[in-house]
Amino acid sequence: MSVSCSQTPATSEIQRLLTGLEAGFDASYPGRGLTDYPSEKPEDIPKAYAMVLLGAIDRSRLAGVDRLPQLGLTAGMWLLDHRDENRDGVVGWGVPIAWDAYGDGSVNPAHTEYTISTAIVVHALLDWMEFAADAPRQQILAAVTDALRPYIETEMQSPSGMAPYSLTTQDRRYDTFNPAAYLAGQMQRFSQVTTDAAVASALRQAADTTVAVLIAQKRIRPDSGAWYWGYSVQEATPNDLPHASYIIDGIATYLRHGGRLAPAIDIKKVVAHLEDFLDRDDHRPLAWPFFRTDVRLPARLYDVGIALRISCGDPALAAFSDALLRSVASYRGADERYYRQPIAYAEKSRTPNRLVAEYEAYLYQGLATCALTRAAGSSPARR
């Protein structure tokens, strides 16, 4: 059923959208498909598998069952089975494509362990372990411990002391806020789970170090008081919507699990930055904050998915999450699949558009969490 962009879909309609998204996933490889990286063939993206797993967990919670459906179980087991895809002895997750992440001429090989990918997968695996009594707890604990262990080593830190962009030498010279923040949240979280006291202490210290840098480097919007960050210490450009969302998620998770520096953080001001991604004229979601005047682009499907997860259920962000929900239909093509850019925008601007499997997975996860939090009356950033 088509939903007008002028209407906010009800929870029952969100459930129907989720069922349609599930039908589009490959049942055996639900994180496989075309990517938004330089590749024209289907690839397995760990972040996509993680988002399918997270979405399946939230759908099960909403249905009142304590077991994963087969789709979520398949996604979770794929992540465990592919925890060292490049077989270098280091547990972690990345992308299956060689990529020059910073455009500096240093190309990372396929399956390089990227901090944001690892952090998102850790998030999904820990949610699985907490949710399902039949989750492979020991496998998850071992995988998460091994994945986080490199980040407690001082030689792996970026120059500022944060978690690095990736585990490659060339990427450790950059102080990139979004992956460091997201990982800090999961490190603080796992410090409350692991029974290894030394590991727990090291995880908390590493999380505190990253968060201390975030506090020191924050910017404040003079009119609203919202906190926000540039992309990195080296690059002052404000973050786009998904990367801003990663930072917000990381800080919220750090606070939720007892981060020591909590008194220095005003989460309401951190979360308030999301409202900067609404167009001041037509209230549609933007890819970049409205105060970045050199670019005015609609949010991508990826942006909408991650932002839904951290905004739905928060009364202070009701207008923002409603705008995101109203926008979902604009990404749906004639084939009932969801594309990278809004269909009408891509056609009018002659912008290449494509069906990105990872982006549909992000939308799935965002809609599932939105349905759950609206029913429960709280958001992940506040729980």
Side-chain angles (χ1 to χ4, degrees), residues 27 30-31 48-50 52-53 70-80 128:
Y49 283 92
V52 171
L53 173 56
Q70 187 58 50
L71 185 74
L73 182 61
T74 298
M77 290 309 301
W78 187 95
L79 291 169
L80 290 173
W128 182 16

Side-chain angles (χ1 to χ4, degrees), residues 44-67:
D44 290 301
I45 302 291
K47 286 190 294 181
Y49 283 92
M51 290 298 163
V52 171
L53 173 56
L54 286 166
I57 291 169
D58 280 348
R59 286 213 82 183
S60 295
R61 284 176 172 148
L62 184 60
V65 298
D66 60 1
R67 296 175 65 89

